Amino acid sequence: MMDSRKIEDYLSLKSHYNNSSLLLEGADKVRVLNLQKVSGGVTNNLYSFLLKFSKKGIEHQLNLILKTYPEPTSLWFKTYRPNEDVRKYVREFEAMSSLERHNFPVPHVYLCECDPFFLGYPFVIMQQEKIMQGSDNKLVHFPATLAHLHNLKVDEIGIKSLAYPKDASAFAEEWPFRFKHVIGETRHYRSLKKDFEYAIRWLEADSVNNRCPQYCLVHGEYHPGHTIVTGDNILKVIDWEGVAIGDPAFDVGYTYHMVKLMSNRK
């Protein structure tokens, strides 16, 4: 159970040492209110809260999201990306920070805490957006936003935790190992073992022919549930744990599958 007092103590400490962009230097009367669990996934928990603090007698408040990262990094990740920072919270924080600087629509991130000492897990704190329900803007901008991402110049974005695959076939070559890991570690997929084994055999035999002509930044899990339309009618992309430099065809295929799986005919 997340404790609001621990968050208050952590933020007060950060303010005291002036190494947080979240609180103004010299802020006091730090209070965390309305803390509640928003969602819990396989690997993460999300909490929303209202942060209030004072500066020279003036009260400030922010609506925030805290995301925890309890799952250790997968073996395949360490094996196939030895030159990258494989910590999901670092990758997500750096990606969102860099993308915002380049005017790509993501929520603002304030801080990334890698030390599990404070709350029990590493975590990221970001802005909580006001969400507009039922907007047709998502239908219009959902595919265009993915295309925008794939057309960004990776070198200019400068996400330090990511690295280019070693050659044009490397991104395809890592997938048989990833599938084998999924089959071995996740019971949910064991009923689909034959399908996975077919895909593995095909990839192992044909990965050399699955060359990517131009790597780009890929989201890794782009689907409607990982986009929101904000109160000012802007579509923003969330959940960047799977971000990588890879083949844009992966994002397109994953998105097409997830739209068919999750969405209605419209």
Side-chain angles (χ1 to χ4, degrees):
M1 190 71 179
M2 188 61 65
D3 187 342
S4 59
R5 290 185 179 179
K6 288 184 178 180
I7 302 174
E8 289 176 356
D9 291 343
Y10 170 81
L11 293 175
S12 296
L13 180 67
K14 288 291 182 180
S15 175
H16 178 73
Y17 288 102
N18 191 29
N19 57 355
S20 168
S21 64
L22 183 53
L23 292 175
L24 300 174
E25 182 181 1
D28 58 13
K29 297 180 181 178
V30 177
R31 290 169 290 162
V32 171
L33 305 172
N34 305 330
L35 178 65
Q36 55 184 325
K37 190 173 184 179
V38 178
S39 65
V42 176
T43 60
N44 307 100
N45 290 315
L46 268 66
Y47 301 88
S48 65
F49 65 94
L50 174 64
L51 175 66
K52 288 188 175 184
F53 60 92
S54 296
K55 170 71 172 179
K56 295 182 178 180
I58 300 174
E59 186 174 78
H60 302 264
Q61 64 180 44
L62 294 168
N63 291 299
L64 302 170
I65 293 288
L66 185 149
K67 183 175 183 178
T68 62
Y69 300 76
E71 186 181 72
T73 303
S74 299
L75 175 62
W76 73 263
F77 215 126
K78 295 178 181 178
T79 302
Y80 278 86
R81 298 183 184 171
N83 298 323
E84 298 189 24
D85 191 326
V86 297
R87 295 172 295 176
K88 293 180 179 180
Y89 39 94
V90 173
R91 296 168 74 87
E92 181 161 29
F93 178 79
E94 289 186 357
M96 293 178 70
S97 298
S98 298
L99 286 166
E100 184 184 20
R101 288 196 298 270
H102 287 79
N103 299 314
F104 187 86
V106 294
H108 178 69
V109 284
Y110 287 99
L111 62 87
C112 174
E113 180 54 65
C114 301
D115 192 341
F117 169 79
F118 299 101
L119 300 183
Y121 306 107
F123 59 91
V124 167
I125 294 180
M126 66 190 76
Q127 176 180 314
Q128 182 181 19
E129 300 283 357
K130 292 182 179 179
I131 299 176
M132 180 183 296
Q133 301 292 346
S135 172
D136 287 339
N137 204 29
K138 176 171 282 193
L139 296 174
V140 174
H141 292 286
F142 177 77
T145 301
L146 183 61
H148 179 191
L149 175 68
H150 291 166
N151 281 287
L152 293 173
K153 295 181 179 179
V154 176
D155 293 335
E156 292 181 2
I157 298 171
I159 303 174
K160 296 179 181 179
S161 55
L162 306 184
Y164 277 91
K166 67 180 187 297
D167 57 48
S169 301
F171 187 77
E173 288 172 352
E174 76 178 33
W175 278 92
F177 192 86
R178 292 180 69 168
F179 282 147
K180 290 176 182 178
H181 173 77
V182 169
I183 293 172
E185 299 295 327
T186 312
R187 292 182 180 180
H188 177 71
Y189 290 106
R190 288 180 182 173
S191 62
L192 302 176
K193 187 175 180 181
K194 288 184 178 179
D195 294 329
F196 274 96
E197 288 176 344
Y198 177 84
I200 290 167
R201 288 195 301 271
W202 182 85
L203 283 168
E204 287 178 334
D206 214 45
S207 61
V208 68
N209 296 318
N210 278 278
R211 300 173 63 84
C212 177
Q214 183 173 338
Y215 286 124
C216 68
L217 197 65
V218 296
H219 181 275
E221 297 179 292
Y222 193 78
H223 61 72
H226 284 167
T227 61
I228 57 175
V229 178
T230 62
D232 50 359
N233 209 31
I234 296 174
L235 185 138
K236 293 190 176 183
V237 186
I238 60 175
D239 284 277
W240 290 86
E241 295 173 58
V243 66
I245 298 173
D247 190 332
F250 172 82
D251 263 354
V252 174
Y254 181 95
T255 303
Y256 178 74
H257 166 72
M258 293 300 288
V259 167
K260 286 182 66 178
L261 182 68
M262 298 173 61
S263 303
N264 59 33
R265 291 186 63 187
K266 182 178 178 181

